[in-house]
Amino acid sequence: MDKLFEKISIELKEKLMAAVEKHRAEGILFSGGLDSSILALLSPQASLFSVSLESYGEDLNFARLTAKYLRRKHHIAQIETREALTTIPKVIGILKTFDLALPNDLATYFALRLAKEKGISSVITGDGADELFCGYSYMFNIDLEAYLPHLAKRMHFSSPDLGKTFGIKVKQPFLDKEFIEFALRIPPNLKVMNEKTKTWGKWILRKAFAGDLPQQILWQEKRPIELGSGFNTLRKIIESRIPHEKFQKRQKKYSIKFLNREHFYYYEIYRNVVGEISRPQEGQAECPFCGAGMDKMAFHCRTCGRSKENPHLRSKK
């Protein structure tokens, strides 16, 4: 096990360095989490861009710590709640979705806008790291041998579409074809591992960069974008705008199966800025929740965000 770990750890570092070199960019969308911190380490010339919803969220604490450790130029934008709420229709119009993952997309949108304001034309993101290296806790108790290859073929991220809005090229080193092939060859038991009475995802990724980053950065908990950036705070505000009784009455107008009032709120905006839901084209399946056309092999519908396999969960981005 020790020899296998050492071999894979060294190769992982080399492969990721090669992927980053191939996908160089002027900036990094930087949360201060494990993935973006590793990318910052491997991209010494790139500027770092972080956002938060006002003073909510934990990301800025970690982002500042890592930026200081790496001695990097670090740009921060703290977005007012009112502006975040008024930007929701714009993001829905760009992505053509009413997915409950929209608070994640808002954080990405504002980070890209900040990069644009600073004259940046290309950025790197950590898209794909959590999927390939099992950063999500739901992955800890499933058959990863079967799941990961299927997931790798179906991964989709909103950052490139949002980047186009600002004329920014979004680069994704973890999604480099050669790197994906290598990552899928790593045994799952090196991705999810127990250490000090705790189960860790991305274990091999953390170990591979031991000594290169502070321990508190390497071994921090996984924070979803919306939580770390504080944009999850919008959820309660949105829910409060639609009383339960009003939601019960108004949702009956539609055949769509909404998860909650927030989902319904996004849909009504979607109707105003996008229009009717696009129905399945030839070769597509029909989403059982909203009727939109979707890839037959997709895990979730890109229009409503509902998952066929876990209908009570929203998509993960």
Side-chain angles (χ1 to χ4, degrees):
M1 179 67 169
D2 289 342
K3 289 185 178 180
L4 176 63
F5 157 71
E6 185 177 352
K7 178 179 181 297
I8 292 177
S9 182
I10 293 172
E11 193 173 2
L12 169 56
K13 216 170 175 181
E14 292 174 348
K15 294 285 188 183
L16 187 53
M17 289 174 65
V20 170
E21 183 63 34
K22 190 188 302 185
H23 301 278
R24 285 284 175 196
E26 299 171 75
I28 299 174
L29 299 195
F30 188 66
S31 69
L34 175 67
D35 312 325
S36 62
S37 294
I38 289 174
L39 293 177
L41 172 72
L42 300 180
S43 306
Q45 304 306 316
S47 298
L48 311 179
F49 297 92
S50 305
V51 298
S52 71
L53 183 69
E54 298 187 3
S55 59
Y56 304 112
E58 300 179 68
D59 278 359
L60 288 187
N61 294 329
F62 287 95
R64 288 188 176 106
L65 173 66
T66 308
K68 183 178 181 180
Y69 178 82
L70 296 175
R71 299 180 181 179
R72 305 295 292 285
K73 182 178 287 188
H74 187 204
H75 303 282
I76 296 172
Q78 292 182 281
I79 309 302
E80 292 185 358
T81 298
R82 178 176 295 182
E83 182 181 14
L85 289 168
T86 58
T87 304
I88 290 173
K90 184 178 294 185
V91 174
I92 287 177
I94 294 168
L95 300 178
K96 296 178 173 52
T97 183
F98 53 101
D99 191 335
L100 276 169
L102 276 161
N104 290 342
D105 299 321
L106 278 168
T108 301
Y109 174 91
F110 284 116
L112 285 163
R113 190 182 73 175
L114 176 61
K116 180 67 174 181
E117 290 170 353
K118 300 301 180 181
I120 297 296
S121 62
S122 61
V123 298
I124 289 173
T125 72
D127 294 339
D130 283 309
E131 287 74 12
L132 293 170
F133 290 92
C134 307
Y136 299 113
S137 59
Y138 82 90
M139 293 177 159
F140 295 176
N141 298 300
I142 62 176
D143 180 3
L144 294 172
E145 290 281 4
Y147 181 73
L148 291 180
H150 183 51
L151 176 62
K153 294 178 182 177
R154 303 288 174 246
M155 290 188 291
H156 175 77
F157 300 92
S158 62
S159 50
D161 294 326
L162 293 169
K164 289 176 185 177
T165 300
F166 298 103
I168 293 177
K169 178 71 174 177
V170 173
K171 302 186 178 185
Q172 302 158 301
F174 285 103
L175 299 183
D176 178 81
K177 183 180 178 182
E178 291 183 14
F179 186 77
I180 289 176
E181 291 174 352
F182 165 72
L184 291 176
R185 293 197 300 270
I186 298 175
N189 65 348
L190 290 180
K191 296 177 181 179
V192 178
M193 179 80 79
N194 290 321
E195 182 159 319
K196 296 180 180 179
T197 72
K198 181 177 176 59
T199 301
W200 293 93
K202 298 191 283 194
W203 186 85
I204 186 67
L205 195 58
R206 300 173 196 272
K207 287 290 188 176
F209 288 90
D212 296 311
L213 290 168
Q215 288 293 302
Q216 62 198 106
I217 295 300
L218 284 171
W219 294 97
Q220 60 185 293
E221 299 277 357
K222 163 65 184 171
R223 298 182 305 280
I225 295 173
E226 64 174 72
L227 184 62
S229 65
F231 278 82
N232 64 309
T233 306
L234 298 175
R235 296 194 187 280
K236 288 185 179 180
I237 298 172
I238 291 169
E239 291 259 332
S240 70
R241 292 186 170 190
I242 306 178
H244 185 70
E245 297 76 14
K246 186 177 181 181
F247 169 58
Q248 292 294 327
K249 183 178 179 180
R250 287 170 61 181
Q251 71 169 336
K252 292 177 182 178
K253 297 192 304 180
Y254 309 115
S255 60
I256 297 168
K257 300 173 184 177
F258 300 105
L259 281 167
N260 53 30
R261 286 174 284 171
E262 182 191 3
H263 203 203
F264 174 76
Y265 178 86
Y266 294 149
Y267 174 67
E268 292 218 308
I269 295 175
Y270 177 96
R271 280 179 60 85
N272 288 330
V273 300
V274 179
E276 295 295 327
I277 292 173
S278 298
R279 299 302 168 182
Q281 302 297 312
E282 185 176 352
Q284 287 187 315
E286 180 177 301
C287 173
F289 305 106
C290 73
M294 59 183 292
D295 189 310
K296 290 181 179 179
M297 300 299 290
F299 280 112
H300 74 276
C301 173
R302 292 185 188 176
T303 301
C304 72
R306 296 289 297 273
S307 168
K308 293 187 295 183
E309 297 182 350
N310 297 294
H312 301 295
L313 299 177
R314 62 180 181 269
S315 66
K316 296 178 174 62
K317 290 186 180 180

